[in-house]
Amino acid sequence: MAEVLAEERKLLEVKNLKKYFPVKAGILRKTVAYVKAVDGVSFHINEGETLGLVGESGCGKSTTGHTILRLLEATGGEVIFDGKDILSLNKREMREARKDMQIIFQDPYASLNPRMTIGEIIAEPLIIHKLARNKEERREKVAWLMESVGLAADHMNRFPHEFSGGQRQRIGIARALAVNPRLIIADEPVSALDVSIQAQVINLLQDLQKKFSLTYLFIAHDLSVVKHISDRIGVMYLGKIVELADKDELFNNPLHPYTKALLSAIPIPDPEYKKERIILKGDVPNPVNPPQGCPFHPRCPMAKDICKQVAPELKDYGNGHFASCHLLEE
Amino acid sequence: MEWREIVYKLFKNKISLVGLAIIIIMALVAIFAPWIAPPRNPAEPYYIPRAGWMSEPQPPSRDHIFGTTEGQYDIFYGIVWGTRTAFMIGFVVVGASTLIGIILGTISAYYGGWIDEIIMRITDIFMSIPFTIAAIVMTTILGRGITNMMIALITFNWMSTARLMRSQVLSVKGEEFVQAARALGASDLRIIFKHVILNTIFPVVVQASMNMGSIVITASTLSFLGIGTPEGYADWGQMISFARNWIIGGQGNALKYWFTVVIPGTAITLFCLSWNLIGDAFRDILDPKMQ
Amino acid sequence: MLSYIVRRLAILPIILLGVTLLIFSMIMRLSPYERVSTFVKDPSQLKGGVAQLDELIEKHGLNDPWYMQYGRWLKGVFRGDLGWSESAGMPVTQALKERFAATAEITLFALIPVIVGGTFLGIFAAVHHNDIWDHITRVLAIIGWSFPTFVFGLIVLMIFYGVLGWFPPGRLDNWALSIVNSPEFTNYTGLYVIDSILNLNFRVLGNAIRHLVAPVLSIAILWWAYLMRITRSSMLETLGKDYIRTARSKGLKERTVIYKHVVKNALIPVITVSGQMLIGLMGGLVVTEAIFDIRGIGQFLAQSAQQLDYAGVLGGAIYFGFVLIIVNLIVDVSYALIDPRIRLE
Amino acid sequence: MKRLSLAVLVIALVFVVSGLVFADNNDTFVDIDMGNIDSLDPHFQYDSASAEIVANVYENLIQFKPGSLTEFEPLLATEVPTVENGLIKNGGKTYIFPIREGVQFHNGNELTPEDVKYSFLRALIQDRSGGPVWMLYEALFGVGTSLKSISSEVVRVDDPKELTPEQSAEVYAYLEKAIEIDGNNVIFHLAEPYPPFLSILARNNGVSAILDREWCIEVGDWDGQPTSIAKYYDPTKEADPLYYKMNGTGPYMLTEWVNGERTVLTAFENYWREPAKIKTVIIRSVDEWSTRKLYLQRGDADSVHVDAQYLSQVEGMPGVKVIKDLPRMANTVGIMNFNIVTEGNPDVHSGKLDGKGVPSDFFSDIHVRRAFSYAMPYDIFIKEAVQGRGQKARGPITAQLLGFDENSPVYEFNLEKAEEEFKKAFNGELWEKGFEITILYNTGNSERKNAVDMLKFFVEQINPKFKVNVRGVQWSTYLDNLVAGKFTIGFMGWGADYADPHNFVVPYMRSDGAFGGVKGENYVNWAKENVDPLINEGAVTVDPVRREEIYKELQNIAIEQALDIYLYQPEAHYVFRDNVKGFVYEPTLHPGLYFYDLYKE
C-alpha cells in the first residue's frame, strides 16, 4: 500500500532539460557550434521508485545525471526536486539541497581521493553538513555506514588503493548514504566492475533502497543491468529520450526501433524464444552535427522520407508509454 | 601514498640519506653558529669581521683556519654564519615563491575562464623579463640588502611553480573524486585544499626541494653582479664572488688562492647537492611507476 | 594549428606592452636624480656640481609625468626607433643588432654539444638505474649544476688559455678581426663562423671556432646536468610503461629495447628543455659573456639595468619577450608535430 | 657514436694547432681597458676613456713639456705666449698664438687660423650640460659664465635653444669678440686675467682641441653661421655628428670604433711631425680583471688596466713591466655634510642629539669634524687598502701644484686627539650621550668601502656610545642622497681638468663648488664669507708669488677648519709588456696613453 501511495508523489521532475557544450574554433576562439549533449529531456521519478536511463555511451545520459545535480550547469530547462526548482538555487541553498540528492560514480578507482583514508572519505559529507556533533559520533556513524554497505569497520584507516573495485564502489555508496539522501543518481555504478561483482552491488543497492526508502535514477548503457532494479526505464539516443515506459511494458512491447535493437542484443536464457537480432548500421552520429529530422534515421532499418526531415515528438501511446517515432503515428 | 610511507622510503634510499645527513649537519651548524664562531659584535653577527683591509687573500693560519678572502674577511666565520643565510634564503624565497605559485596556479586552473587568462598573461609578462634585469632594477629601487634581494628573488621566481601547479590542477580538477566532493556540497575552499592541492602538491614539492639548492647559486650570481647581499655579509655566494679576481692564481702559482674558491664552493655545492638528492629521491619515490 | 600560431602571436604585443609598462613603472619609482645617474656614472663625473644634474634632468625630460616619458618612448618604438642606449653609447637597435650576433653564435654552438651530451648522460644514468654509475653521473651532474658559473668559467679560462694557450677569450684574434672588418670580407650574418664559410676564409673560421670552445664548454657543464636529469627521469618513466614490458617479454635484446623504443619516447621532454635553454641562452649570459670577453645581449642588459638606462632595459625586454614567445611557440608546434596525441587549441 | 667523437676530436685539434701560430707584430699595439667611451667629440667628452682617443687624434695649440706641469711647448701654435716674448699682453688679458703652417688634417685639409677660431666658437656654442666647456667660459668670459648666462644677459633669453636668428647673432657677436684672427695669429681676449688659461689650452684637454671647419660643416656640425646657435646648443649625443666621427691633426686616425668593444687607431702618414712608430693601435674594453690579466700574461695585450689592489698579481710576471709611483693630479676626500637633511633620512637615525642619532648640524661643529679627521687611519689606509699606491693628502690641493706645501699642518691618525675633540663637541654633550650615524658608500668601490669601514672601526673604539653603520647603496641612490643633502660623510674623488690649484679649491671649497655646494646652508654661508673671495682672487692673480700665497692660505684654512677628511692622493701606475718602450708619463692624460711616444722592440 505504501508503495502505491508513494507512486503518486513525484520526487524529481525534469522538464525540457538542455545541456549544450560550446565548440570553439578560429583565431578569436569564437563559438562556432554546440554539442547538444542533452537536448530537451523530460521525465519524472516518483518517490521510492527506480528509473533506469539507458543508452549507448555518448548519448548524454551521464550528462543528464550530472546536470540534474548541477555538477554541470544546465543550458536550459527545469529540474524540480520535491517542489523546489534546483536550477534556480543559489550557491548556499544548493549546498543545502545536496543533502537530499547524491551520486554514485561510474569509476570506483577515480571517484575516491587516493590521499584520504576510507574513514576520512566517508566522514567528509558528515563534516561538510555538520551531521555529527563530535569526533566520536562521527566515527560511530562512519562505522555504521561501512557496515551497512558490507565493509568491515576496522578498515577505516586504510587507503582506497588497498581495496578491490567492488569494495571501492561500496565505499562510494557509503559516502553517498552518509547525508541520508532521498534521491541517488547511480551513474553506471557497475559498468566498471566484474560481472560477478555487478550482481552483488546491484543487490546491495536494492537492499539499501528498501532500508532507507531511497529513490534511484539508475544510469546504464545496457538494458540487462537495469532490468532487475528499475521500475520504469527511459531510453536515450543522441541527447533525447526516445522511449520511456514501465519496465515490463518496455521489455514486452518496445515501440521504438532503437529500443528494439537494444533489446535484441540482450542474451535471453529462454531457449524457446526465437531471437531476431537487429544489427544497427553505422556509428552514433557526431553530436556536433546531428542528423536532421529523426536523429536515429541514418541507422534505422525502417527509416522513411519523413524521418529525414521532421524530428518526431515524444508522445504517449497509452499506459504511460512514451515514444518518439514517426512510424508509430501511422 | 601516505606521508609516513614517503618518509620511510626516504630513509631507506641510501643516496637521499646522504643528502639528508648533510642538510642536518648544516642545520646544526646554523643553529649553533654563535658558539662555533662567536661574533665580534653581537649586534651584527652576520657581518664577517675583518682582519685588516688588505685586498690580497691570506692563506689558512692559526687565527684564520680557513684563511681570509679579499678584504680580509674571515672565511671560517663566513662559512659558519653563511649556513644560516643559505637556509634563510632557501626557505624564505622558495617557500614564498612556491606558495605564490601554488595559489596562482590553483586559482587559474580551478576557476578557468577569464581569471585563468589574466593570471596566465601576468605570468607571461613576468617570465618575459630576463631575471638579471629584473633583479638589478628591483634592487636598485629597493636598495641593496638581504631582505630586498629576497623580495626580488621571490617576485621573479614563482612563475614556473604557478605553471606546474596549473597543469597539475587541470588534470586533477576533472577527476571524479572532485566531482564527488562537489556533489556532497563541499565548498570551493574545501575542494581546493582537501582534494585538489593534496593530489597535486608532490611534483611541486620535488621542484621546490631542487629549487632550494639552485636559489643559493642564483643569489651568488647576484652578488657577482654587485646586487646581492651587502658587502661583508656572511653569504657563501658573496664569498665566492670575493674570489673572482683571485681564482686564476698568483704569480707562478696558479693554486695560490685555492682556499678562496674551494672552501665556500664546497659549502654551496654540498648544500645544493643535498637538496637535489632529496628532490631526486622524492621524485623516484612518488612516481608510482618506479615501484 | 595555424590559428593557434596566429593567436599566440597576437598575444605578443599585449605581453610586450605589459612588460615594458611594468619595467617602466618600476624605474619611474625612482627620483629624477636617481635616474639622471645614467648620464653621470661616477662621482668623478660630478664635475659640474649638482646644478648640472638639474640641467640634464631638464634636457632629457626626466621630470615629466611618467606617461609622457613612456609615450615618447612608445612613439619612437612605432617608428622602429627603440631609443638611445646611454649605457652602450649607441642606439638600442644597433646595440641589440651587434650583440645579437655574438649571443646567437654562442647559442648555436652550445646547443648541439649540450643536447647530445646531456641526453647521452641521461640515457646512460637511466640504463644503469640505481647502480653505481647512476649515482656517479648524478652526483657529477649536480656538482656541475651547483657550482657558480663564474667559478667554472674562470677555471676553464685559466686552463685552456692561461696555461695551455689553446682557446683564447673574445670572439676573434685581432688579426682575424681586422680581416672581418675589412671591406673584402662581407658580413652576412654577423656570426663569424657562418660568415667565414660564406667568404671561404678558413683561417678566420678556425679562429672563430677556437674562440668558441671555452665559453661553450662552460655553458655545457651547467646544462648537461640539467638535461641529464630530465632525460633520466623521463627515460625511467618510459621504461616502466607496458609496451616496453611487452617488448622485453617478446625477447628483444635489452639494447634494442632501449634504443628502439625507450629513447624515442623519452626524448620528448628534451624538446622542452631545448626550448628553455634556447630562451636562457638567447637572453644572454651575463657571467659567461663577462668572463670570456664576449659582447653579447646579457652584458648589454645587465649593464643597462645597472645604469638605469631605461631605453636599453626596455629594448632588451622587447627582444627577450620576442625570443620567449617565438621559442615557446616553436616548442609547442614541434610537440604537436612529434606527438600526434597533442592537439593545439 | 665513437666514430663521431673521434672526428670531432681530430677537427678540434686541427683548429688548435692551426691557430697557435701567432704573429707578434711590432707595428701593432693592443691596449686593454675597461668601460665605455662617452663620446669622441672632443668638446663633448669629459671622461678619461674618451680623452685618451681624443688626445691621440686631435691636437691642441700647445702642450706641457715632458715631465712638467708648469712649462709648455708649442704644438699647433709655433710659439707659447709669455709676457717676455710679448705674446701675453694687456696685463694677462690678451694671448696671441701664431698658428703652424703646413699642418694637415687626416682628410688632407690644411690647418688655418679659421679652423682654430671655428673650433673654440663651436665649443662655446655647443656648451653641453654637464660638459667641460665651462673651462673656456671661465677663462674667456669670467667665473660662472656659460652660454646660458650670456644669452640671458645679452638678449634676455634664458634658454639658448629658444634664440631667434637675430638674437643668436647678437649672442654670437658677444662670443666672437673673445677670439680674433690677425693674419696667421689667433688672439684671445680674456675678460679678466686668468693664469690657468694656458693649462686649459694644453694637449690632453679636449675642450681646446682643434677641428677642421670645412669637414665639420660637411658632416653636419655647426655651419659656422652666427644665426644658428639654437640649433647646435647642447645637443644629445645621438644628434652630435662628431660623436662617432673624427678628423684631427694628431698622429693617429680613427679607423674603427664599436663602443665598449674596440677602437682602432691607425698612424697618420702625413703627420706634420715624424709619423708614429706604432702603426696600429687597438684599444679593447674588457671589464673582467682575470680575463685582462690572462691577455697580458699570454702577450695578447701590450698594456692593460690594473686596479691598485691587484697590482701585486702582475708584479714579477715574466715579460711584464710595471711602472709605478707616478704622482696623479687627483685625490679622495671625505666630504662632511654641515646640514644633513633629517626628514625621511634613516641615516641620521633619531636625527637628534640624544645618543640614538645625530642632529642635522652634527658636522657644523668643528670639533666633530676634527675628531673624525683624527680618527681616520691614513697610513693604514694607504698601506692596506690601496697597497701603498698613494700618498697622504695635505688638503684639497695635490702635490706638484702651486700652493702645495709639504710641510703644511695635517691631521694624523690619533685616537687620543680624536677623543679630546669629541669631548669638546656640543659642549661635551655629545661625549655624554653618544651618537649613531650611518655612512654610505657606493657599491663596487672597495676603496671607499674600506675608508668607511675604518672610520667605523676606530670611531666606535673611542666611546662605546658611538655607533657608526656602513651602508652600501647603488650609485643612483648615492647620487640622490648627495643631491638631497641626506648624506652624512661621502668619500669622493676629484681628478683635475687642468693642471692648476684653482681646479681643486673650487670644487672642494667654494660655496658653489661641485662638493662644497652640497654641504648645506651652514657651509655655503661660511664659505661665501671666508673663502670665496680668496678663491676668486686666486683665479685672476697674475703674479705667481701672490698666487702661491693665496693657495697656501686656502689650504691652511681647509686644515684649520677640518672642512673635509683629506684621505689620500692616489698614485698612477702603468703595466706594459716589457718590449714596450718610450713611455712618457703625462699626468693630464692618466690613465690614458699617448701612443705617439711608444714603440716596440
Side-chain angles (χ1 to χ4, degrees), chain D residues 12-30:
Chain D
L13 272 174
V14 168
F15 282 129
V16 168
V17 176
S18 71
L20 281 178
V21 207
F22 179 76
D24 193 11
N25 197 338
N26 274 352
D27 282 354
T28 304
F29 187 92
V30 180

Coordinates of all heavy atoms in Angstrom, one line a residue, chain D residues 12-30:
Chain D
A12 N 88.9 19.4 -33.9 CA 89.3 20.3 -32.8 C 90.8 20.5 -32.8 O 91.3 21.7 -32.7 CB 88.8 19.8 -31.5
L13 N 91.5 19.4 -32.8 CA 93.0 19.5 -32.7 C 93.6 20.3 -33.9 O 94.5 21.1 -33.7 CB 93.6 18.1 -32.7 CG 93.7 17.5 -31.3 CD1 94.2 16.1 -31.4 CD2 94.7 18.3 -30.5
V14 N 93.0 20.1 -35.1 CA 93.5 20.8 -36.3 C 93.3 22.3 -36.0 O 94.3 23.1 -36.2 CB 92.7 20.4 -37.5 CG1 93.0 21.3 -38.7 CG2 93.1 19.0 -37.9
F15 N 92.2 22.7 -35.5 CA 92.0 24.1 -35.3 C 92.9 24.7 -34.2 O 93.5 25.7 -34.3 CB 90.5 24.4 -34.8 CG 89.6 24.3 -36.0 CD1 88.4 23.5 -35.9 CD2 89.8 25.1 -37.1 CE1 87.6 23.5 -37.0 CE2 89.0 25.0 -38.2 CZ 87.8 24.2 -38.1
V16 N 93.1 23.9 -33.2 CA 94.0 24.3 -32.1 C 95.4 24.6 -32.7 O 96.0 25.7 -32.5 CB 94.1 23.2 -31.0 CG1 95.2 23.6 -30.0 CG2 92.8 23.1 -30.3
V17 N 95.9 23.6 -33.4 CA 97.3 23.7 -33.9 C 97.4 24.9 -34.9 O 98.3 25.7 -34.8 CB 97.7 22.4 -34.5 CG1 99.1 22.6 -35.2 CG2 97.8 21.3 -33.5
S18 N 96.4 25.0 -35.8 CA 96.4 26.0 -36.8 C 96.4 27.4 -36.2 O 97.0 28.3 -36.8 CB 95.3 25.8 -37.8 OG 94.1 26.2 -37.1
G19 N 95.8 27.5 -35.1 CA 95.7 28.8 -34.5 C 96.8 29.2 -33.6 O 97.0 30.4 -33.3
L20 N 97.7 28.2 -33.3 CA 98.8 28.5 -32.3 C 99.8 29.5 -32.9 O 100.5 30.2 -32.1 CB 99.5 27.3 -31.9 CG 98.7 26.4 -30.9 CD1 99.4 25.2 -30.5 CD2 98.5 27.3 -29.6
V21 N 99.9 29.6 -34.2 CA 100.9 30.4 -34.8 C 100.4 31.9 -34.7 O 99.5 32.3 -35.4 CB 101.1 30.1 -36.3 CG1 102.5 30.5 -36.7 CG2 100.8 28.6 -36.6
F22 N 100.9 32.6 -33.7 CA 100.5 33.9 -33.5 C 101.6 34.9 -34.0 O 102.7 34.9 -33.5 CB 100.2 34.2 -32.1 CG 99.8 35.6 -31.8 CD1 98.5 36.0 -32.1 CD2 100.6 36.5 -31.2 CE1 98.1 37.3 -31.9 CE2 100.3 37.8 -30.9 CZ 99.0 38.2 -31.2
A23 N 101.3 35.7 -35.0 CA 102.3 36.6 -35.5 C 102.4 37.8 -34.5 O 101.5 38.6 -34.3 CB 101.9 37.1 -36.8
D24 N 103.6 37.9 -33.9 CA 103.8 39.0 -33.0 C 104.2 40.2 -33.8 O 105.3 40.2 -34.4 CB 104.9 38.7 -31.9 CG 104.9 39.7 -30.8 OD1 104.0 40.5 -30.7 OD2 105.8 39.7 -30.0
N25 N 103.4 41.2 -33.8 CA 103.5 42.3 -34.7 C 104.0 43.5 -34.0 O 103.3 44.1 -33.1 CB 102.2 42.6 -35.4 CG 102.4 43.4 -36.7 OD1 103.4 44.1 -36.8 ND2 101.5 43.3 -37.6
N26 N 105.2 44.0 -34.3 CA 105.8 45.2 -33.6 C 105.1 46.5 -34.0 O 105.3 47.5 -33.4 CB 107.3 45.3 -33.9 CG 108.0 44.4 -32.9 OD1 107.4 43.9 -31.9 ND2 109.3 44.3 -33.1
D27 N 104.3 46.4 -35.1 CA 103.6 47.6 -35.6 C 102.3 47.8 -34.8 O 101.8 48.9 -34.9 CB 103.3 47.5 -37.1 CG 104.5 47.7 -37.9 OD1 105.6 48.1 -37.3 OD2 104.5 47.5 -39.1
T28 N 101.9 46.8 -34.2 CA 100.5 46.9 -33.6 C 100.7 46.9 -32.1 O 101.5 46.2 -31.5 CB 99.7 45.6 -34.0 OG1 99.7 45.6 -35.4 CG2 98.3 45.7 -33.5
F29 N 99.9 47.7 -31.5 CA 99.8 47.9 -30.0 C 98.4 47.6 -29.5 O 97.5 48.2 -30.0 CB 100.3 49.3 -29.6 CG 100.5 49.5 -28.1 CD1 101.7 49.3 -27.5 CD2 99.4 49.8 -27.3 CE1 101.9 49.5 -26.2 CE2 99.6 50.0 -26.0 CZ 100.8 49.8 -25.4
V30 N 98.3 46.6 -28.6 CA 97.0 46.3 -28.1 C 96.9 46.8 -26.6 O 97.7 46.4 -25.8 CB 96.7 44.8 -28.1 CG1 95.3 44.5 -27.6 CG2 96.9 44.3 -29.6

